[in-house]
Amino acid sequence: MVESGSADLLAPASLKKFLHPPSLPGNAGHLLLRSPPEAKQAVGKDLEKFKQRLSLLDYLQQQNWVARPASHGHEFVGLCPLHQEIRPSFYVNARKNLFYCHGCGQGGDLLRFVQLSRHLSFRQSLAYLEQQSAPPTDPADVLEQAATFYQQQLDRYPEARCYLKQRGLHDPALIRELRIGYAPGGNLRRHLTAQGYSFDLLQRLGLLNSQGHDAFYRRVVFPCSLGGRIINLYGRNIAAAFAHRFLPGPKGGLYSWEQVQHCSEVILVEGLFDYAVLWQAGFRHVTCSLGTHLNACQFQQLCDHPRTIYLTFDVDANGSGQQASQQLAHRLQAQGIATRRVLLPDGQDPNSFFVQGGDAQQFRSLLEAAQP
Ligand SMILES: [Zn+2]
């Protein structure tokens, strides 16, 4: 039906309004013609935001739409993405941000195009475009914001301070240095979405659960960094339930490895509260594997340089900590790394050792007594 020429010349009068809507108050007004009235107010701001970031033509080209200029200045023509055709009848007016297809008769703006091409509702299309047009966000930036927010919460919740005290952590310098925070639950989402982070992104990072609530609830939080960037958060429940939790995604390397990698002797512990009490007692050549099972990156770090590793895993009743310690010692020795197994009193871990009155001198004696 359409051989050549512009949409302007060939479109029936009733359709020309898509390309040249003279009576409409600009694109925004036109855009909202199709939305239900209650949606207008709620989404008006969002619409304006993404329209400034993403034009219809840019979007189509991102979707690999191939076009050539039509005879009118701001018009482009190509094959219709909405129906099968062999001759181009899909016109886009780049200035007005509108399209019209002479083949299938569909026309409208970017939002309408998304609705038709992806079979989405008005609101779904809006959410989709919001995501498409958002500037790329570095997950480390979001985790940085979350960690800072949790740090600020620590002073506002006495139960969090109380828990730290119970676990033997009282030095403000330690709390500041390790950036320990508190997630009361129920307020991170509001804080981060107000800063412009999308709900979808927060959910993808695991900061929000599938119901959209804060994933960390009543947890003391330690940020875990790699190369100076936060890559995960560890949350310790201050009640007993589901004690340990990380965000989905990798834990990365050994905790605070950059600070000990040049030490010839390194103390390895399995938990962050073990790490923290040792740091507080003045032992700075400590690192933590965040569990007894080391990932490939962590194991590689321990082996990258000749050094002695003091394995200081829990001495728990079922012997699992000591079993893991023994296996790790063998693997490290096979790589030429010297190991010493630090034997804590029965049933203890480094954290409980200090909480129950152990001091730096006593711990130093345990290090000296450690067996190869
Ligand atoms: Zn079409």
Side-chain angles (χ1 to χ4, degrees):
M1 164 182 160
V2 178
E3 303 282 357
S4 63
S6 81
D8 213 29
L9 292 172
L10 293 161
S14 62
L15 302 175
K16 283 183 184 173
K17 66 176 183 184
F18 280 112
L19 296 166
H20 300 287
S23 59
L24 295 171
N27 286 347
H30 176 80
L31 239 155
L32 291 169
L33 281 181
R34 289 174 181 278
S35 59
E38 75 277 10
K40 285 183 193 175
Q41 287 176 337
V43 300
K45 269 188 198 159
D46 289 346
L47 273 175
E48 282 311 310
K49 208 163 55 182
F50 79 69
K51 272 170 56 195
Q52 283 164 12
R53 292 198 294 245
L54 186 65
S55 75
L56 173 60
L57 193 60
D58 285 344
Y59 176 79
L60 288 166
Q61 283 169 346
Q62 278 173 21
Q63 309 292 313
N64 301 316
W65 185 61
V66 180
R68 60 175 171 77
S71 56
H72 269 54
H74 303 286
E75 284 179 12
F76 294 83
V77 60
L79 290 172
C80 177
L82 300 174
H83 84 280
Q84 288 263 332
E85 65 179 4
I86 49 168
R87 277 187 298 213
S89 50
F90 186 89
Y91 285 81
V92 171
N93 185 311
R95 191 163 54 88
K96 295 194 164 73
N97 264 322
L98 298 170
F99 72 93
Y100 184 76
C101 174
H102 293 273
C104 61
Q106 299 286 5
D109 55 30
L110 173 57
L111 196 69
R112 181 72 187 147
F113 182 81
V114 169
Q115 283 180 268
L116 292 168
S117 62
R118 308 193 79 87
H119 309 287
L120 298 176
S121 72
F122 177 83
R123 279 185 177 278
Q124 287 169 332
S125 302
L126 200 60
Y128 170 82
L129 280 174
E130 184 62 32
Q131 205 184 321
Q132 291 289 305
S133 64
T137 312
D138 185 345
D141 292 342
V142 189
L143 296 181
E144 178 65 39
Q145 296 289 334
T148 302
F149 180 73
Y150 286 148
Q151 271 184 283
Q152 291 161 354
Q153 304 306 302
L154 192 64
D155 284 327
R156 301 183 189 164
Y157 292 85
E159 66 265 38
R161 285 279 176 183
C162 181
Y163 180 80
L164 288 183
K165 224 163 139 190
Q166 271 173 36
R167 300 296 304 267
L169 312 190
H170 47 74
D171 183 353
L174 164 87
I175 292 166
R176 214 172 29 246
E177 174 75 18
L178 306 191
R179 301 191 59 191
I180 297 170
Y182 181 61
N187 59 3
L188 181 75
R189 173 184 164 172
R190 192 174 47 226
H191 175 74
L192 290 181
T193 50
Q195 293 191 36
Y197 294 112
S198 74
F199 180 83
D200 182 74
L201 174 71
L202 302 180
Q203 217 164 27
R204 237 180 315 130
L205 292 174
L207 290 167
L208 303 182
N209 63 21
S210 55
Q211 287 91 47
H213 302 135
D214 288 11
F216 280 0
Y217 174 75
R218 301 194 73 204
R219 282 175 192 275
V220 165
V221 178
F222 290 72
C224 302
S225 303
L226 189 64
R229 292 152 51 82
I230 299 179
I231 62 162
N232 209 321
L233 300 176
Y234 166 76
R236 175 61 165 90
N237 200 307
I238 65 170
F242 304 106
H244 310 284
R245 197 151 172 200
F246 286 91
L247 298 178
K251 285 188 262 185
L254 294 163
Y255 184 79
S256 228
W257 179 244
E258 285 87 353
Q259 297 184 22
V260 299
Q261 60 179 322
H262 299 298
C263 300
S264 57
E265 296 188 335
V266 171
I267 302 169
L268 177 69
V269 296
E270 62 177 85
L272 284 169
F273 284 92
D274 302 326
Y275 178 96
V277 286
L278 282 170
W279 193 97
Q280 196 175 246
F283 298 91
R284 298 296 157 85
H285 55 307
V286 188
T287 188
C288 169
S289 49
L290 310 163
T292 53
H293 177 77
L294 274 69
N295 63 33
C297 169
Q298 294 174 328
F299 185 75
Q300 194 49 48
Q301 286 173 323
L302 291 180
C303 298
D304 69 356
H305 190 281
R307 58 170 66 86
T308 303
I309 310 288
Y310 287 83
L311 298 166
T312 318
F313 286 176
D314 302 2
V315 181
D316 26 34
N318 64 12
S320 62
Q322 286 313 296
Q323 208 180 334
S325 170
Q326 203 157 13
Q327 283 170 0
L328 180 58
H330 288 146
R331 285 175 63 208
L332 288 168
Q333 284 157 14
Q335 300 295 316
I337 300 296
T339 60
R340 302 270 187 281
R341 286 174 56 213
V342 180
L343 217 53
L344 294 159
D346 264 355
Q348 295 216 336
D349 56 42
N351 184 260
S352 63
F353 178 80
F354 281 94
V355 169
Q356 291 173 24
D359 62 23
Q361 187 47 47
Q362 289 168 342
F363 190 79
R364 207 164 287 120
S365 305
L366 290 178
L367 290 179
E368 281 158 15
Q371 299 296 308

